[in-house]
Amino acid sequence: VKQATKLRHNVRWELGNNVVFLFLYPGREAESTLPSGKEVDWEQAQTEKMNITEKMRKEFEEMLQKKRNEESEKKIKEIEKKYLEEKQKNEGEKEKLIAALNTKAEQLMVLDNSSLEKEVELQKTKKES
C-alpha cells in the first residue's frame, strides 16, 4: 500500500500468493463489498484474485490493441500522403513530357511539310526541265 486506504468491512489484503487477511469491521457490515450473507473463504479470495487479474489482462490487451491500431492508422495515413505527393509529382512530370512531345511533333510536322514542299518543287523543276 503506497497511500492511505480506508478500510471497509470484508476487505481482503493479499500478501504474496499464500497469505490473505480478511478485515471484519463489526457494525459496518453495510460497507461490505460482498453481497450480504456471503462468507469469504480461501477459494472465493483466489477466484476474486483470478477474476481481477483476468480483467486487468483484458484491459491491458485492449489498450495495447488500440495503440497498435492507432500506430497502424498513422502509418497508413503517412503512406497515403506520400502516395498522393508522388502521384502529383508524376502527373506534373507527365504533363511536361506530353507538352515536350507535342512540341517535337509539331516541329517534325513543320519539317515534314517543308520537306514535302521542297520535294514537290523539285519534281516541278524536273518536269519543267
Side-chain angles (χ1 to χ4, degrees):
V1 179
K2 294 182 181 180
Q3 61 187 13
T5 303
K6 184 178 179 181
L7 294 177
R8 294 180 303 208
H9 183 71
N10 274 341
V11 169
R12 276 85 58 212
W13 292 335
E14 289 189 39
L15 302 175
N17 292 326
N18 299 321
V19 179
V20 178
F21 289 100
L22 175 63
F23 181 75
L24 299 177
Y25 201 152
R28 299 258 178 125
E29 287 81 8
E31 296 177 11
S32 176
T33 58
L34 291 175
S36 62
K38 186 169 184 177
E39 288 202 24
V40 178
D41 61 5
W42 176 257
E43 285 184 41
Q44 191 273 331
Q46 292 304 310
T47 301
E48 184 178 70
K49 178 181 174 182
M50 186 178 68
N51 290 340
I52 290 171
T53 303
E54 183 64 19
K55 181 181 176 186
M56 289 173 62
R57 186 190 63 77
K58 284 181 181 179
E59 288 174 357
F60 177 76
E61 285 180 1
E62 288 172 1
M63 181 183 65
L64 190 60
Q65 187 62 38
K66 183 179 177 183
K67 185 175 180 179
R68 286 180 185 150
N69 289 344
E70 288 171 355
E71 289 173 356
S72 295
E73 288 177 17
K74 183 179 176 183
K75 286 179 183 179
I76 288 170
K77 286 180 182 180
E78 288 174 6
I79 291 169
E80 287 176 344
K81 181 180 176 184
K82 286 180 183 179
Y83 169 76
L84 290 175
E85 289 171 355
E86 285 293 319
K87 183 178 178 184
Q88 288 175 345
K89 179 182 169 186
N90 290 340
E91 287 292 324
E93 290 177 5
K94 177 182 166 184
E95 289 175 12
K96 288 178 186 177
L97 287 173
I98 289 173
L101 288 173
N102 285 337
T103 303
K104 287 287 185 186
E106 288 173 6
Q107 290 173 352
L108 288 173
M109 287 175 66
V110 168
L111 286 174
D112 195 36
N113 285 340
S114 66
S115 296
L116 187 60
E117 289 172 0
K118 287 180 184 178
E119 180 84 24
V120 169
E121 282 183 34
L122 186 61
Q123 286 181 2
K124 281 185 186 178
T125 34
K126 283 185 182 178
K127 285 182 184 177
E128 292 175 358
S129 350

